Amino acid sequence: MSGKWEWSKVAATAVFGLISVCFLIPLLWMVSAASKIESEVWTFPIRWIPKTWNFMNNFQEVWLGKVPFTIFYANSIKIAVMTTAATILFSSMAGYAFAKIRFAGRHAVFGLLLSLMMIPEQATLVPRYILIRWLGLYDTHEALVLLMMFSIYFTFLFRQFIAGIHNDYLEAAQIDGAGYFRTYWQIVVPLSKPIFATVAIIKFIWTWNDYQTPLIFLVSRQLFPIPLGIQYFKEEFATSIAVMMMASLSAIVPLLALFLVLQRHVIRGISLGGVKG
Amino acid sequence: MKKTFWNRKRRENAAGWLFIGPEVFGMLLLSVFPLGFSLALSFADWNLVGGVSSIRFVGWDNFIGLWEDDRFLKALRNNVLFTAATVPGVIVIALAMAAVIHARLYFQSYFKIAFFVPYICSTVAIAAVWSALFHPSKGPVNQILIQLGVTDPPKWLVDTSYALVAVMIIYVWQLIGYKIIIFIAGLSNIPNELYEAASIDGAGTMGQFWHVTLPLLGPTTFFLTITSIISSFKVFDIIKFLTNGGPNDASTVIVYQIYEEGFQRFNMGYASAMSWVLFLMIVLVTSVTWIVQNRKVHD
């Protein structure tokens, strides 16, 4: 860092450093409790480093126990990957059309879609539940993917980004005889990689953490994604907080690792949503 | 070139509609149709268990019923309390923190990440952690309160007067980082020259904040206010997972009532009426905020 350290900034950084640590205490407590034997979880003052390490036993209970976490994991990965893939495909296609194809009715349709963003998904849960039952998709992963894969918000983000691609690229492709699909696939997609990465990671996180949709549309335990798995653990291990904390830790860590690696994309994507005004 | 049916204009139209086709179809199927369907259902009495033949139209009965339903009114009241307690204050705190992080700290990316981490975490996993922290007798929160001299600390999630407060604390803790990130993005869009000009005019740090930062953050604040109000109306996960609306309906909210009526008792008509109340409240809030905002801009 060039220049002198400013005293006021150093002091403010120290204060905020302390605040941020306090802010994260619940997560630190979770990690600590997940490494303890049950009787040590509640000792006060809080013993952050366990006297008796029980990390491996708790880990085995969660991952290799009666209903192993591996099933919930596999389900979550399957649902999140399928949903994310469908979302980036359909949202980017629509975003491209709204940004670059001058078809009749595009302004009206786009305005209508934006106004649909006001409909809270909770307000349409009942009819969607009936619809899914009619379609014979109740208690399937397909139902979750279908319900979660369309997103006006991400269509909007794609449209904003693709609108910034210079028309020269698209026209050059069309002079070379490329149709709309080849233009989309060979020009638009490669030039929009950053927004693809951003949307993919955010959608993946949101799907991974979604609790409400699987709660209403799934009943079979072997189909549960992680959030329902945690609920199941809560019912089974009500008295074993150490095991519960290990389950929570197991739900959070992989996503947290993914976030830390890709945090630039996540934070940029979140910021994009807020400063569109 | 020979004139064919597929002239340039027609091809362009067809391509456009093909590209937006799936998205539009999805929205019609999962948003527009359900909204209309639930409006129709809200004037009907229908228990899903009885099959389609048991649908009976009852006029305004469901809405009149809501007005006389103490649990629903409690849910409505809790939603209003929830919004009042978690939106305005939290926006002010998030703005203050964003302003400090953006202008006065080293290691800015660390702070952005640290406060944002809870937002990434599964709400259910986080709720499980907080329910242990809030344990009435053994939990660290109450241990600390007792240490500080509070003789009879609240029982939090199992306390009729504090269950909703406990849910609010968890909710704010998880979402404040999102607001901070959005504010920081808004702050970084303000050109530095404006601050320089203000400081040449003799404005101090606070003066710059009042006369440059706040007015230019208007759209960001507006966006956050609307989205925060809407998402506070939709709070559900923490409540379902931790309290099931209890104890004694102390922490129930509209979405929880929809869940219970619709998916545990299968009263589809009654649940739809609740859904429409929720929808209309959100439309109302959005419109009012919109009008107020536009008036401010024109002043």
Side-chain angles (χ1 to χ4, degrees):
Chain A
M1 201 174 289
S2 65
K4 267 191 290 184
W5 292 78
E6 283 175 50
W7 258 114
S8 66
K9 268 181 122 176
V10 171
T13 306
V15 171
F16 259 64
L18 202 65
I19 295 175
S20 72
V21 171
C22 292
F23 184 78
L24 292 174
I25 275 183
L27 295 178
L28 302 174
W29 191 86
M30 168 186 73
V31 177
S32 164
S35 323
K36 289 175 178 170
I37 52 171
E38 192 59 23
S39 60
E40 220 187 310
V41 167
W42 302 115
T43 48
F44 193 84
I46 300 166
R47 198 183 290 144
W48 294 100
I49 309 293
K51 200 182 260 172
T52 318
W53 282 90
N54 200 35
F55 189 90
M56 279 325 284
N57 283 338
N58 293 335
F59 188 84
Q60 279 173 2
E61 188 79 73
V62 169
W63 285 88
L64 309 166
K66 206 165 40 165
V67 174
F69 228 60
T70 38
I71 296 174
F72 305 140
Y73 247 84
N75 289 334
S76 272
I77 291 172
K78 178 185 162 197
I79 297 165
V81 166
M82 283 169 64
T83 308
T84 305
T87 299
I88 57 176
L89 176 67
F90 293 138
S91 294
S92 68
M93 280 171 53
Y96 162 57
F98 285 125
K100 293 294 184 190
I101 304 179
R102 322 208 143 268
F103 60 100
R106 64 186 189 285
H107 294 300
V109 177
F110 191 65
L112 200 72
L113 284 185
L114 285 186
S115 70
L116 291 182
M117 270 168 88
M118 231 201 294
I119 305 175
E121 58 173 316
Q122 285 83 353
T124 54
L125 267 180
V126 168
R128 279 187 293 145
Y129 178 83
I130 298 167
L131 185 72
I132 290 295
R133 294 205 91 138
W134 281 346
L135 292 173
L137 292 175
Y138 183 64
D139 200 23
T140 64
H141 286 161
E142 287 73 16
L144 303 187
V145 176
L146 176 70
L147 289 164
M148 295 191 288
M149 70 193 211
F150 298 107
S151 161
I152 303 167
Y153 174 66
F154 290 130
T155 301
F156 180 81
L157 290 191
F158 272 114
R159 175 185 172 267
Q160 296 304 87
F161 189 93
I162 294 170
I165 296 176
H166 214 287
N167 278 331
D168 291 356
Y169 291 107
L170 308 182
E171 278 158 17
Q174 268 162 5
I175 287 166
D176 288 347
Y180 291 101
F181 280 92
R182 259 186 59 197
T183 310
Y184 164 76
W185 192 246
Q186 295 185 342
I187 311 289
V188 174
V189 173
L191 286 176
S192 316
K193 268 189 204 143
I195 194 74
F196 270 87
T198 299
V199 170
I201 170 72
I202 294 177
K203 182 68 188 180
F204 190 88
I205 292 172
W206 285 355
T207 314
W208 185 275
N209 288 340
D210 187 41
Y211 169 63
Q212 190 178 282
T213 319
L215 176 76
I216 290 168
F217 293 90
L218 293 182
V219 281
S220 309
R221 196 187 300 153
Q222 72 274 10
L223 294 179
F224 282 1
I226 291 166
L228 289 188
I230 292 180
Q231 171 163 298
Y232 164 78
F233 266 75
K234 185 186 165 216
E235 285 150 16
E236 286 295 296
F237 293 92
T239 51
S240 180
I241 299 300
V243 174
M244 265 311 290
M245 291 306 104
M246 179 56 81
S248 294
L249 183 67
S250 304
I252 289 174
V253 161
L255 215 56
L256 204 56
L258 193 69
F259 164 65
L260 290 177
V261 173
L262 299 172
Q263 46 98 1
R264 223 173 269 275
H265 285 292
V266 180
I267 288 183
R268 200 196 43 199
I270 295 292
S271 312
L272 274 177
V275 287
K276 65 190 178 193
Chain B
M1 203 200 266
K2 209 173 70 177
K3 275 217 167 139
T4 60
F5 178 76
W6 285 111
N7 62 25
R8 195 182 154 74
K9 195 66 226 158
R10 280 215 164 92
R11 275 204 3 237
E12 197 150 34
N13 283 341
W17 280 94
L18 271 177
F19 271 95
I20 63 167
E23 189 79 17
V24 169
F25 172 75
M27 282 302 142
L28 289 176
L29 183 74
L30 298 170
S31 223
V32 178
F33 164 71
L35 193 68
F37 191 16
S38 77
L39 181 64
L41 275 179
S42 65
F43 294 101
D45 181 28
W46 181 29
N47 194 299
L48 192 68
V49 184
V52 180
S53 58
S54 68
I55 302 183
R56 207 162 47 84
F57 280 85
V58 293
W60 292 94
D61 280 11
N62 285 329
F63 292 97
I64 296 166
L66 284 179
W67 195 242
E68 291 161 354
D69 180 345
D70 288 340
R71 297 184 71 201
F72 180 75
L73 294 178
K74 197 160 194 181
L76 202 62
R77 196 196 62 138
N78 282 346
N79 264 119
V80 172
L81 277 177
F82 201 95
T83 306
T86 63
V87 177
V90 176
I91 284 191
V92 172
I93 295 170
L95 172 58
M97 290 179 70
V100 174
I101 293 173
H102 180 67
R104 307 213 102 28
L105 299 190
Y106 296 109
F107 314 119
Q108 287 182 13
S109 22
Y110 160 75
F111 287 105
K112 278 196 217 175
I113 294 171
F115 289 112
F116 193 65
V117 158
Y119 182 85
I120 298 299
C121 300
S122 151
T123 306
V124 173
I126 274 175
V129 175
W130 277 96
S131 83
L133 296 176
F134 276 138
H135 190 286
S137 56
K138 302 181 281 185
V141 171
N142 274 359
Q143 298 276 17
I144 290 168
L145 286 179
I146 290 170
Q147 203 92 104
L148 293 176
V150 182
T151 43
D152 190 20
K155 295 186 178 54
W156 299 111
L157 292 160
V158 291
D159 189 325
T160 45
S161 332
Y162 283 92
L164 196 63
V165 177
V167 172
M168 287 173 188
I169 292 173
I170 305 172
Y171 179 85
V172 167
W173 181 75
Q174 189 181 20
L175 293 181
I176 195 166
Y178 170 79
K179 298 183 172 65
I180 294 176
I181 292 290
I182 301 272
F183 270 129
I184 291 178
L187 289 166
S188 358
N189 280 358
I190 300 176
N192 252 331
E193 296 88 69
L194 290 178
Y195 288 109
E196 284 157 18
S199 94
I200 290 168
D201 289 347
T205 313
M206 281 321 274
Q208 288 179 17
F209 184 78
W210 281 109
H211 298 294
V212 180
T213 311
L214 266 189
L216 284 171
L217 274 184
T220 309
T221 317
F222 172 62
F223 168 83
L224 270 182
T225 310
I226 287 200
T227 51
S228 307
I229 294 175
I230 292 177
S231 73
S232 77
F233 277 162
K234 299 197 285 194
V235 60
F236 171 76
D237 292 5
I238 303 173
I239 290 168
K240 164 66 189 128
F241 185 74
L242 289 184
T243 69
N244 277 316
N248 195 19
D249 298 329
S251 62
T252 194
V253 287
I254 298 177
V255 177
Y256 187 76
Q257 289 298 312
I258 296 176
Y259 169 77
E260 216 176 67
E261 283 298 334
F263 307 110
Q264 293 187 321
R265 303 205 185 107
F266 298 108
N267 286 327
M268 295 322 207
Y270 199 54
S272 296
M274 289 182 185
S275 307
W276 260 80
V277 173
L278 176 72
F279 173 59
L280 291 178
M281 279 169 65
I282 287 177
V283 171
L284 184 76
V285 164
T286 315
S287 325
V288 168
T289 329
W290 193 264
I291 291 164
V292 170
Q293 167 77 7
N294 280 348
R295 192 166 296 161
K296 261 194 203 145
V297 170
H298 290 303
D299 277 351

